[in-house]
Amino acid sequence: MRTSPALLGAVLLVAAAALAGAQNPNLESIVNDRYTRSHDYDLVHQRIVVRDFNWDSLSFTGSVTTSLVALRPNMDSVVLDAGALLGITRTAAVGGGALRTTRHGDTLVVFLARPAAFHDTVRFTIEYGGKVENGRGLTFIDERPHTPRQIWSQGEDHDNHYWFPTYDFPNDKMTWELEATVPSGFMAVSNGALASDTKDASGARTLRWREDRPSATYLVSLVVAPLAKIHDSWKNVPVDYYTYHSDSALAWRLFHVTPAMIDVYSRLTGVPYPWQKYAQTTVADFFGGMENVSATTLVDWLPDARAYQDRPWYQHILIPHELAHQWFGDYVTTTNWANMWLNEGFAEFMPGQYWREKLGAHIAEDYYLDEYRQFMQIDARRQMPLASLGSNNIYPKGALVIEMLHDYLGDQRFWAGIREYLTTHAFGNAVSDDLRQAFLDATGENLDWFWSEWVYGAGYPEFTVTSAYDATARRVTLVVRQTQRDTLKADSAGMRYVVPEVFRMPVTVRVGMLGGPDVVRTSWIRQREDTIVVDGVALTPAMIVFDDGNHVLKRLTFEQPTAQLATQLRRDPDLWNRSWVIQQLALRPADPLAQAALADAVTGSDYFLTRVEAASALGAFAPSAAVPPLTRALRDTSSQVRQAAVEALGRTGGAEAATLARKAWRDDSSYSVRAAALAALTRLDTAGRRALILEGLRTDSYRDAIQNAAIGAAVRSDDSSFVAPMQALVGEQQLPSFGLAAMAIRGSQRALDFLVSDLNDPRSYVRGWALTAIVQSLGPARGLPALRSIQPSLSHADTRAAVGRAIKQLEERSAPSGGQ
Ligand SMILES: [Zn+2]
């Protein structure tokens, strides 16, 4: 699964599940052993048949034939997960009579005609009238502009049982068939190979998909929509892209990277792509992407040609992330959710490897630097280990820890360990210790220390480094202190994580001199305070790099003279190190050496990200120092550099900055640069602000980057004359409704009136967006009175029901909370 950056925050708020009674636990044994669900059978195969989809009643007809093997003698009943809304009409043994069932909430018990013996195979069919709460298991979406009528499933973590009875936990793998009958003109995409595709006299189409390699039930997937199929391939494996017909011309450029990615992943892991086909299907209102086995589901944000200059997240991260799951998550699956980093950490790690293979070292450093920033933000909120139930940091920390392990072991030993892990657990499950064991088997090295610090431990080393040069002894001495503190408290369930007092790692120090070769020294950090001695430094150091190549995940404090930092910025090839140097220089806006170093980097650096960061840093410098290099940066071939430059000019201020930003708004070809120019100009040019915002509100761009910048500027302006133009946009996308809510919070009654009246809009999606904005933005204090006042005059039954639920939800939020 991968959430788009804008939505990431919401996911991170998901609270960690509680573990009852775990006082002072040994996390390692708990995580590996305790969270796995027990059951008394082995699920072998399910044949799932669905038809008669009704978008108004959110219903369908279903039947599921289950084959399983008893794992206890005298098994007289089978317990399955089945959503309470599924109305069971008949259950019968295959080739036998009807079977009695009972329901307990979302649990279904099927009583067998006679008890099964240990290892007996049991087969029965459940017929049911399917119904869902929209978004739980299945999401039904009605037609709206740019969006055809559609249905998509989402199983992870435990939602597939809301649309078909199954065993809904990852530790039991099965094969399956999925047969769907869909209206004329519709397609149904699912896992595995297409076994049949027929039409009846009415035009209704029945497609039968067969996944004959075992995987977990949360990966069973169904997308129903009118879709175009664009065919591609890798070796003999079909690689298909399914999009709306209106998007089909955009599909090839976006998705055709896939075969090359499959090729790189197959080669690196030593495991050729393990499934019968790979489909990627786009759907509406999706949170990002989901790695349903051999049939990934993705959000419908296909970039247009112009958007590619801004390096769309979709192609850079989302496509390679979901593809990586086909090995990590789908082929080898976490046994329980406490080890979910084995799925998500690897899926987040692999895209950096792909880009390195394709485009070299810098883009990989760029990729992991972005992960590092995310990691630091998340870790600052709460420090949790990778291996822990509900861990908040499995994506970026997972990627960074795996990359650190890769660095530590080197290519050959690392990929041998990965291959060992994947082949040992092929089509099966694994916990964190299985990965450690695979590296032990493949390399002979017991990495228990690494696991204990980075997998079961929380936090990261915070290094404070000081250096001294002794000219007589020709020696540089570094004192390295680890200053991280373990201040974590037990949570309400008694679970307490530990930040290691000491992280042990080899660290390389590089000392550069003017007119001599660098002196490089690698030594182990093993203590709270270590001393590293670098001999043979004949001349005064021009640069001292701690952790050359950035091999340790860390925070670094290392006071150095500006001249040393400037030399490092010029000479250090590593992007994390350069980024760290730029941060130090940004704190010295009065220092001419710092200005000169950043001005050099903003146009002279060999990789765009360093130029981006130098441009951003210059935003804090005086206009006389910042504007000339930023003017040059506006001519960069990278749109990200131009964007950073125009943002920096917005902070620098002055008439010249306004002129440059206006030119960028008028002439730049990049959506992101124009959006940044609009935001900057609304600060720099108050006289032209109103006309500019109105123009921005009407300007089309990929993912509404420009319109969104204009909505943000309109909200910040506190000018109520933007309320009507904002209201005029409410059918186009979701953000205008949130803009109205933000203006209502800032005191605009008119904005609130519009927002509330949108609950009677004839378009159901407008009503839905308005309600979401009211609930999420206004909160109980403002939202409750507004909803109560409109409730009697609501004209649509579905909205009346939704408003009723929202009122209840807001009332609960406003009541004093009883629990945690
Ligand atoms: Zn994922």
Side-chain angles (χ1 to χ4, degrees):
M1 191 182 330
R2 185 60 161 81
T3 317
S4 72
L7 299 170
L8 194 61
V11 168
L12 301 173
L13 294 175
V14 173
L19 175 73
Q23 296 293 334
N24 303 317
N26 175 351
L27 179 66
E28 187 173 333
S29 74
I30 287 174
V31 157
N32 285 302
D33 307 329
R34 202 181 292 174
Y35 292 109
T36 306
R37 184 177 171 185
S38 291
H39 60 314
D40 55 7
Y41 54 84
D42 173 18
L43 188 64
V44 176
H45 185 83
Q46 288 196 306
R47 175 177 157 78
I48 304 156
V49 180
V50 283
R51 60 182 188 279
D52 309 328
F53 294 102
N54 186 312
W55 272 259
D56 298 322
S57 57
L58 309 175
S59 67
F60 60 99
T61 306
S63 115
V64 173
T65 301
T66 302
S67 305
L68 51 83
V69 171
L71 292 182
R72 69 174 165 92
N74 223 12
M75 188 172 84
D76 57 355
S77 61
V78 174
V79 178
L80 291 174
D81 302 302
L85 293 180
L86 304 181
I88 311 291
T89 48
R90 179 181 153 84
T91 303
V94 172
L99 301 176
R100 189 168 67 84
T101 60
T102 59
R103 308 292 294 270
H104 309 274
D106 293 329
T107 299
L108 171 71
V109 183
V110 177
F111 294 94
L112 303 178
R114 72 191 70 79
F118 189 70
H119 278 181
D120 267 3
T121 296
V122 172
R123 288 197 185 89
F124 53 85
T125 301
I126 300 166
E127 291 168 20
Y128 59 105
K131 189 169 168 52
V132 294
E133 190 184 302
N134 207 2
R136 216 166 187 200
L138 294 179
T139 297
F140 288 69
I141 295 172
D142 257 323
E143 187 174 0
R144 60 172 195 255
H146 320 298
T147 304
R149 185 171 247 216
Q150 57 188 275
I151 299 167
W152 46 262
S153 70
Q154 170 56 30
E156 195 174 21
D157 304 353
H158 307 118
D159 277 5
N160 266 344
H161 71 278
Y162 291 114
W163 64 281
F164 67 94
T166 192
Y167 174 73
D168 207 350
F169 201 81
N171 67 329
D172 190 352
K173 293 198 167 180
M174 66 165 188
T175 55
W176 63 88
E177 293 155 82
L178 195 148
E179 181 181 306
T181 301
V182 298
S184 173
F186 278 62
M187 175 71 193
V189 183
S190 184
N191 322 87
L194 186 59
S196 65
D197 180 359
T198 56
K199 274 192 187 124
D200 72 9
S202 74
R205 187 172 177 190
T206 298
L207 299 108
R208 189 160 62 87
W209 295 87
R210 219 188 136 78
E211 180 52 77
D212 64 8
R213 302 176 192 180
S215 198
T217 56
Y218 74 90
L219 297 165
V220 173
S221 168
L222 174 65
V223 177
V224 174
L227 296 168
K229 172 180 167 177
I230 293 94
H231 179 67
D232 201 348
S233 63
W234 174 73
K235 299 192 171 172
N236 292 323
V237 179
V239 176
D240 297 319
Y241 318 129
Y242 293 93
T243 70
Y244 311 149
H245 292 283
S246 59
D247 284 341
S248 60
L250 303 174
W252 186 261
R253 179 164 184 190
L254 175 62
F255 290 116
H256 181 54
V257 291
T258 311
M261 289 175 179
I262 295 177
D263 208 57
V264 168
Y265 287 177
S266 298
R267 186 158 44 79
L268 289 177
T269 60
V271 175
Y273 179 77
W275 309 102
Q276 298 127 298
K277 66 127 196 302
Y278 190 53
Q280 292 171 97
T281 307
T282 62
V283 300
D285 302 341
F286 208 58
F287 48 82
M290 178 64 209
E291 67 272 19
N292 298 310
V293 56
S294 76
T296 284
T297 309
L298 298 161
V299 68
D300 57 358
W301 296 336
L302 284 83
D304 60 29
R306 182 171 284 211
Y308 281 95
Q309 60 183 312
D310 300 326
R311 193 168 76 179
W313 165 83
Y314 204 121
Q315 196 177 54
H316 186 60
I317 292 174
L318 184 63
I319 290 174
H321 175 104
E322 302 307 341
L323 177 65
H325 274 306
Q326 302 302 316
W327 287 260
F328 302 97
D330 297 0
Y331 185 63
V332 177
T333 307
T334 181
T335 303
N336 57 48
W337 298 116
N339 293 280
M340 197 177 175
W341 78 280
L342 293 173
N343 292 10
E344 296 302 344
F346 276 101
E348 195 74 355
F349 160 77
M350 290 296 286
Q353 304 300 304
Y354 168 75
W355 290 115
R356 179 186 284 131
E357 291 287 314
K358 216 60 200 165
L359 298 172
H362 274 333
I363 193 165
E365 293 158 12
D366 171 353
Y367 180 89
Y368 295 112
L369 178 53
D370 184 44
E371 298 293 318
Y372 175 80
R373 297 223 167 86
Q374 296 174 45
F375 162 66
M376 281 297 178
Q377 272 185 18
I378 298 166
D379 199 79
R381 277 178 240 144
R382 186 180 176 198
Q383 298 195 300
M384 291 180 82
L386 282 179
S388 56
L389 196 61
S391 180
N392 60 352
N393 218 341
I394 54 179
Y395 289 75
K397 187 175 181 183
L400 293 163
V401 167
I402 296 165
E403 174 64 353
M404 186 163 49
L405 186 64
H406 176 213
D407 265 346
Y408 172 79
L409 290 171
D411 262 332
Q412 285 178 313
R413 297 208 307 156
F414 175 78
W415 291 112
I418 293 301
R419 185 177 184 178
E420 179 74 26
Y421 167 73
L422 288 172
T423 50
T424 303
H425 304 281
F427 301 111
N429 295 98
V431 293
S432 296
D433 198 60
D434 292 324
L435 183 64
R436 183 194 62 82
Q437 188 66 49
F439 281 107
L440 179 57
D441 292 344
T443 69
E445 182 161 351
N446 187 349
L447 292 159
D448 64 318
W449 59 275
F450 188 95
W451 256 239
S452 122
E453 288 164 22
W454 294 105
V455 176
Y456 305 122
Y460 55 88
E462 299 179 42
F463 293 114
T464 297
V465 178
T466 54
S467 69
Y469 175 59
D470 181 340
T472 319
R474 300 179 159 200
R475 169 180 293 172
V476 170
T477 305
L478 280 80
V479 177
V480 181
R481 289 187 190 84
Q482 296 192 37
T483 61
Q484 69 276 6
R485 294 222 168 274
D486 182 10
T487 55
L488 302 181
K489 299 203 172 19
D491 64 19
S492 60
M495 183 62 98
R496 187 194 176 294
Y497 305 122
V498 175
V499 177
E501 175 104 337
V502 176
F503 287 85
R504 287 158 293 174
M505 282 297 273
V507 169
T508 300
V509 172
R510 175 182 294 270
V511 179
M513 289 162 284
L514 297 177
D518 293 353
V519 181
V520 179
R521 163 83 199 271
T522 300
S523 52
W524 274 80
I525 300 287
R526 298 179 195 279
Q527 307 169 83
R528 195 78 176 155
E529 179 172 324
D530 278 289
T531 301
I532 300 174
V533 174
V534 185
D535 283 320
V537 182
L539 303 164
T540 307
M543 131 185 134
I544 301 175
V545 182
F546 174 78
D547 192 14
D548 188 42
N550 182 40
H551 298 299
V552 185
L553 174 55
K554 64 184 177 292
R555 188 191 295 281
L556 176 61
T557 305
F558 187 6
E559 275 297 317
Q560 294 183 66
T562 305
Q564 278 187 18
L565 295 171
T567 305
Q568 187 179 353
L569 182 55
R570 218 167 36 243
R571 286 174 44 176
D572 196 327
D574 182 80
L575 294 191
W576 187 94
N577 284 353
R578 288 185 196 172
S579 173
W580 179 84
V581 166
I582 288 170
Q583 281 172 40
Q584 313 308 307
L585 295 174
L587 301 172
R588 304 174 190 191
D591 184 336
L593 263 180
Q595 286 171 19
L598 291 171
D600 278 355
V602 89
T603 47
S605 179
D606 64 352
Y607 191 73
F608 79 90
L609 190 65
T610 305
R611 304 199 296 277
V612 164
E613 294 179 330
S616 295
L618 281 167
F621 284 66
S624 59
V627 173
L630 291 175
T631 306
R632 291 195 296 278
L634 282 174
R635 293 193 291 270
D636 203 289
T637 53
S638 156
S639 69
Q640 288 96 321
V641 177
R642 303 198 300 277
Q643 180 188 343
V646 86
E647 284 166 356
L649 286 166
R651 293 194 297 279
T652 311
E656 207 180 343
T659 306
L660 290 163
R662 204 171 297 112
K663 185 171 175 346
W665 164 251
R666 221 176 36 235
D667 299 339
D668 206 286
S669 57
S670 148
Y671 296 131
S672 302
V673 175
R674 294 195 70 209
L678 184 145
L681 267 179
T682 53
R683 278 193 293 272
L684 296 170
D685 175 11
T686 44
R689 180 198 289 160
R690 191 180 146 71
L692 179 68
I693 291 175
L694 288 174
E695 191 187 345
L697 289 175
R698 292 189 307 267
T699 304
D700 277 340
S701 54
Y702 175 58
R703 297 204 56 215
D704 303 308
I706 293 172
Q707 188 176 73
N708 291 350
I711 290 170
V715 168
R716 282 193 305 274
S717 74
D718 273 329
D719 178 346
S720 60
S721 73
F722 288 119
V723 171
M726 191 91 78
Q727 170 64 20
L729 300 175
V730 291
E732 290 189 11
Q733 54 136 332
Q734 198 166 6
L735 202 69
S737 302
F738 280 85
L740 287 173
M743 291 169 109
I745 289 171
R746 287 166 172 249
S748 168
Q749 184 60 41
R750 190 141 176 262
L752 184 60
D753 292 345
F754 270 130
L755 191 61
V756 169
S757 69
D758 287 342
L759 294 172
N760 273 324
D761 193 281
R763 298 162 293 184
S764 65
Y765 54 95
V766 171
R767 302 197 296 274
W769 289 340
L771 184 59
T772 305
I774 290 170
V775 171
Q776 291 187 1
S777 298
L778 297 188
R782 291 159 190 271
L784 272 177
L787 290 178
R788 284 179 183 140
S789 70
I790 189 79
Q791 199 178 21
S793 52
L794 289 170
S795 44
H796 300 271
D798 60 336
T799 306
R800 252 195 323 273
V803 165
R805 284 196 299 274
I807 287 176
K808 217 174 262 166
Q809 192 188 333
L810 289 173
E811 282 170 349
E812 275 165 25
R813 260 164 61 187
S814 67
S817 94
Q820 55 187 64

PDB file of all heavy atoms in Angstrom, residues 457-476:
ATOM      1  N   GLY A 457      14.671  -1.904  18.156  1.00  0.00           N
ATOM      2  CA  GLY A 457      14.891  -0.674  18.906  1.00  0.00           C
ATOM      3  C   GLY A 457      14.219   0.512  18.227  1.00  0.00           C
ATOM      4  O   GLY A 457      13.928   0.475  17.030  1.00  0.00           O
ATOM      5  N   ALA A 458      13.962   1.559  19.005  1.00  0.00           N
ATOM      6  CA  ALA A 458      13.385   2.783  18.450  1.00  0.00           C
ATOM      7  C   ALA A 458      14.492   3.826  18.284  1.00  0.00           C
ATOM      8  O   ALA A 458      15.603   3.654  18.793  1.00  0.00           O
ATOM      9  CB  ALA A 458      12.291   3.309  19.374  1.00  0.00           C
ATOM     10  N   GLY A 459      14.182   4.905  17.576  1.00  0.00           N
ATOM     11  CA  GLY A 459      15.102   6.028  17.484  1.00  0.00           C
ATOM     12  C   GLY A 459      16.264   5.798  16.534  1.00  0.00           C
ATOM     13  O   GLY A 459      16.253   4.875  15.713  1.00  0.00           O
ATOM     14  N   TYR A 460      17.275   6.625  16.694  1.00  0.00           N
ATOM     15  CA  TYR A 460      18.437   6.633  15.806  1.00  0.00           C
ATOM     16  C   TYR A 460      19.546   7.369  16.552  1.00  0.00           C
ATOM     17  O   TYR A 460      19.278   8.094  17.515  1.00  0.00           O
ATOM     18  CB  TYR A 460      18.099   7.361  14.492  1.00  0.00           C
ATOM     19  CG  TYR A 460      17.573   8.746  14.725  1.00  0.00           C
ATOM     20  CD1 TYR A 460      18.431   9.842  14.826  1.00  0.00           C
ATOM     21  CD2 TYR A 460      16.194   8.970  14.901  1.00  0.00           C
ATOM     22  CE1 TYR A 460      17.950  11.108  15.082  1.00  0.00           C
ATOM     23  CE2 TYR A 460      15.706  10.239  15.166  1.00  0.00           C
ATOM     24  CZ  TYR A 460      16.587  11.304  15.248  1.00  0.00           C
ATOM     25  OH  TYR A 460      16.119  12.567  15.525  1.00  0.00           O
ATOM     26  N   PRO A 461      20.819   7.190  16.127  1.00  0.00           N
ATOM     27  CA  PRO A 461      21.893   7.887  16.838  1.00  0.00           C
ATOM     28  C   PRO A 461      21.903   9.378  16.526  1.00  0.00           C
ATOM     29  O   PRO A 461      21.722   9.781  15.377  1.00  0.00           O
ATOM     30  CB  PRO A 461      23.160   7.205  16.302  1.00  0.00           C
ATOM     31  CG  PRO A 461      22.767   6.655  14.974  1.00  0.00           C
ATOM     32  CD  PRO A 461      21.318   6.299  15.075  1.00  0.00           C
ATOM     33  N   GLU A 462      22.073  10.160  17.560  1.00  0.00           N
ATOM     34  CA  GLU A 462      22.278  11.597  17.393  1.00  0.00           C
ATOM     35  C   GLU A 462      23.718  11.875  17.765  1.00  0.00           C
ATOM     36  O   GLU A 462      24.091  11.786  18.930  1.00  0.00           O
ATOM     37  CB  GLU A 462      21.301  12.368  18.280  1.00  0.00           C
ATOM     38  CG  GLU A 462      19.853  12.065  17.907  1.00  0.00           C
ATOM     39  CD  GLU A 462      18.855  12.806  18.782  1.00  0.00           C
ATOM     40  OE1 GLU A 462      19.090  13.991  19.063  1.00  0.00           O
ATOM     41  OE2 GLU A 462      17.861  12.176  19.170  1.00  0.00           O
ATOM     42  N   PHE A 463      24.514  12.168  16.748  1.00  0.00           N
ATOM     43  CA  PHE A 463      25.953  12.357  16.959  1.00  0.00           C
ATOM     44  C   PHE A 463      26.287  13.825  17.166  1.00  0.00           C
ATOM     45  O   PHE A 463      25.839  14.671  16.399  1.00  0.00           O
ATOM     46  CB  PHE A 463      26.747  11.860  15.741  1.00  0.00           C
ATOM     47  CG  PHE A 463      26.684  10.380  15.519  1.00  0.00           C
ATOM     48  CD1 PHE A 463      26.049   9.848  14.396  1.00  0.00           C
ATOM     49  CD2 PHE A 463      27.276   9.506  16.428  1.00  0.00           C
ATOM     50  CE1 PHE A 463      26.006   8.482  14.183  1.00  0.00           C
ATOM     51  CE2 PHE A 463      27.243   8.130  16.220  1.00  0.00           C
ATOM     52  CZ  PHE A 463      26.597   7.620  15.097  1.00  0.00           C
ATOM     53  N   THR A 464      27.071  14.087  18.207  1.00  0.00           N
ATOM     54  CA  THR A 464      27.690  15.404  18.335  1.00  0.00           C
ATOM     55  C   THR A 464      29.185  15.198  18.187  1.00  0.00           C
ATOM     56  O   THR A 464      29.798  14.446  18.965  1.00  0.00           O
ATOM     57  CB  THR A 464      27.359  16.048  19.691  1.00  0.00           C
ATOM     58  OG1 THR A 464      25.940  16.240  19.747  1.00  0.00           O
ATOM     59  CG2 THR A 464      28.044  17.394  19.836  1.00  0.00           C
ATOM     60  N   VAL A 465      29.759  15.815  17.162  1.00  0.00           N
ATOM     61  CA  VAL A 465      31.157  15.572  16.806  1.00  0.00           C
ATOM     62  C   VAL A 465      31.952  16.867  16.984  1.00  0.00           C
ATOM     63  O   VAL A 465      31.472  17.949  16.644  1.00  0.00           O
ATOM     64  CB  VAL A 465      31.251  15.098  15.334  1.00  0.00           C
ATOM     65  CG1 VAL A 465      32.705  14.876  14.920  1.00  0.00           C
ATOM     66  CG2 VAL A 465      30.430  13.816  15.138  1.00  0.00           C
ATOM     67  N   THR A 466      33.131  16.724  17.557  1.00  0.00           N
ATOM     68  CA  THR A 466      34.072  17.851  17.570  1.00  0.00           C
ATOM     69  C   THR A 466      35.389  17.366  16.989  1.00  0.00           C
ATOM     70  O   THR A 466      35.705  16.167  17.062  1.00  0.00           O
ATOM     71  CB  THR A 466      34.335  18.373  18.997  1.00  0.00           C
ATOM     72  OG1 THR A 466      34.752  17.272  19.811  1.00  0.00           O
ATOM     73  CG2 THR A 466      33.079  18.989  19.601  1.00  0.00           C
ATOM     74  N   SER A 467      36.150  18.294  16.394  1.00  0.00           N
ATOM     75  CA  SER A 467      37.417  17.875  15.782  1.00  0.00           C
ATOM     76  C   SER A 467      38.531  18.824  16.198  1.00  0.00           C
ATOM     77  O   SER A 467      38.289  19.992  16.486  1.00  0.00           O
ATOM     78  CB  SER A 467      37.297  17.857  14.260  1.00  0.00           C
ATOM     79  OG  SER A 467      37.175  19.177  13.768  1.00  0.00           O
ATOM     80  N   ALA A 468      39.755  18.289  16.236  1.00  0.00           N
ATOM     81  CA  ALA A 468      40.926  19.111  16.540  1.00  0.00           C
ATOM     82  C   ALA A 468      42.069  18.656  15.645  1.00  0.00           C
ATOM     83  O   ALA A 468      42.204  17.462  15.358  1.00  0.00           O
ATOM     84  CB  ALA A 468      41.313  18.946  18.007  1.00  0.00           C
ATOM     85  N   TYR A 469      42.862  19.622  15.192  1.00  0.00           N
ATOM     86  CA  TYR A 469      43.990  19.292  14.320  1.00  0.00           C
ATOM     87  C   TYR A 469      45.299  19.593  15.051  1.00  0.00           C
ATOM     88  O   TYR A 469      45.479  20.693  15.577  1.00  0.00           O
ATOM     89  CB  TYR A 469      43.912  20.103  13.021  1.00  0.00           C
ATOM     90  CG  TYR A 469      45.119  19.889  12.122  1.00  0.00           C
ATOM     91  CD1 TYR A 469      45.436  18.606  11.655  1.00  0.00           C
ATOM     92  CD2 TYR A 469      45.931  20.953  11.740  1.00  0.00           C
ATOM     93  CE1 TYR A 469      46.532  18.391  10.843  1.00  0.00           C
ATOM     94  CE2 TYR A 469      47.022  20.758  10.917  1.00  0.00           C
ATOM     95  CZ  TYR A 469      47.324  19.468  10.473  1.00  0.00           C
ATOM     96  OH  TYR A 469      48.424  19.256   9.671  1.00  0.00           O
ATOM     97  N   ASP A 470      46.169  18.618  15.070  1.00  0.00           N
ATOM     98  CA  ASP A 470      47.493  18.787  15.683  1.00  0.00           C
ATOM     99  C   ASP A 470      48.519  18.762  14.548  1.00  0.00           C
ATOM    100  O   ASP A 470      48.820  17.705  13.987  1.00  0.00           O
ATOM    101  CB  ASP A 470      47.722  17.636  16.682  1.00  0.00           C
ATOM    102  CG  ASP A 470      49.081  17.742  17.380  1.00  0.00           C
ATOM    103  OD1 ASP A 470      49.971  18.446  16.838  1.00  0.00           O
ATOM    104  OD2 ASP A 470      49.232  17.133  18.455  1.00  0.00           O
ATOM    105  N   ALA A 471      49.042  19.978  14.208  1.00  0.00           N
ATOM    106  CA  ALA A 471      49.938  20.098  13.052  1.00  0.00           C
ATOM    107  C   ALA A 471      51.238  19.333  13.281  1.00  0.00           C
ATOM    108  O   ALA A 471      51.773  18.711  12.358  1.00  0.00           O
ATOM    109  CB  ALA A 471      50.223  21.571  12.763  1.00  0.00           C
ATOM    110  N   THR A 472      51.737  19.361  14.519  1.00  0.00           N
ATOM    111  CA  THR A 472      53.001  18.678  14.805  1.00  0.00           C
ATOM    112  C   THR A 472      52.853  17.173  14.623  1.00  0.00           C
ATOM    113  O   THR A 472      53.686  16.520  14.003  1.00  0.00           O
ATOM    114  CB  THR A 472      53.423  18.959  16.266  1.00  0.00           C
ATOM    115  OG1 THR A 472      53.150  20.331  16.542  1.00  0.00           O
ATOM    116  CG2 THR A 472      54.891  18.660  16.472  1.00  0.00           C
ATOM    117  N   ALA A 473      51.763  16.630  15.175  1.00  0.00           N
ATOM    118  CA  ALA A 473      51.542  15.186  15.061  1.00  0.00           C
ATOM    119  C   ALA A 473      50.921  14.808  13.722  1.00  0.00           C
ATOM    120  O   ALA A 473      50.741  13.625  13.438  1.00  0.00           O
ATOM    121  CB  ALA A 473      50.641  14.718  16.202  1.00  0.00           C
ATOM    122  N   ARG A 474      50.591  15.817  12.904  1.00  0.00           N
ATOM    123  CA  ARG A 474      49.900  15.594  11.609  1.00  0.00           C
ATOM    124  C   ARG A 474      48.656  14.728  11.810  1.00  0.00           C
ATOM    125  O   ARG A 474      48.466  13.717  11.137  1.00  0.00           O
ATOM    126  CB  ARG A 474      50.830  14.917  10.623  1.00  0.00           C
ATOM    127  CG  ARG A 474      52.067  15.733  10.325  1.00  0.00           C
ATOM    128  CD  ARG A 474      52.956  14.965   9.354  1.00  0.00           C
ATOM    129  NE  ARG A 474      53.866  15.876   8.681  1.00  0.00           N
ATOM    130  CZ  ARG A 474      54.479  15.585   7.537  1.00  0.00           C
ATOM    131  NH1 ARG A 474      54.262  14.444   6.937  1.00  0.00           N
ATOM    132  NH2 ARG A 474      55.292  16.460   6.982  1.00  0.00           N
ATOM    133  N   ARG A 475      47.834  15.145  12.751  1.00  0.00           N
ATOM    134  CA  ARG A 475      46.756  14.273  13.200  1.00  0.00           C
ATOM    135  C   ARG A 475      45.471  15.065  13.416  1.00  0.00           C
ATOM    136  O   ARG A 475      45.488  16.146  14.002  1.00  0.00           O
ATOM    137  CB  ARG A 475      47.186  13.625  14.519  1.00  0.00           C
ATOM    138  CG  ARG A 475      46.085  12.899  15.266  1.00  0.00           C
ATOM    139  CD  ARG A 475      46.608  12.310  16.549  1.00  0.00           C
ATOM    140  NE  ARG A 475      47.564  11.241  16.278  1.00  0.00           N
ATOM    141  CZ  ARG A 475      48.301  10.652  17.212  1.00  0.00           C
ATOM    142  NH1 ARG A 475      48.229  11.057  18.473  1.00  0.00           N
ATOM    143  NH2 ARG A 475      49.127   9.681  16.907  1.00  0.00           N
ATOM    144  N   VAL A 476      44.358  14.480  12.914  1.00  0.00           N
ATOM    145  CA  VAL A 476      43.029  15.014  13.237  1.00  0.00           C
ATOM    146  C   VAL A 476      42.380  14.059  14.228  1.00  0.00           C
ATOM    147  O   VAL A 476      42.384  12.844  14.018  1.00  0.00           O
ATOM    148  CB  VAL A 476      42.145  15.163  11.981  1.00  0.00           C
ATOM    149  CG1 VAL A 476      40.694  15.479  12.363  1.00  0.00           C
ATOM    150  CG2 VAL A 476      42.691  16.256  11.068  1.00  0.00           C
TER     151      VAL A 476
END
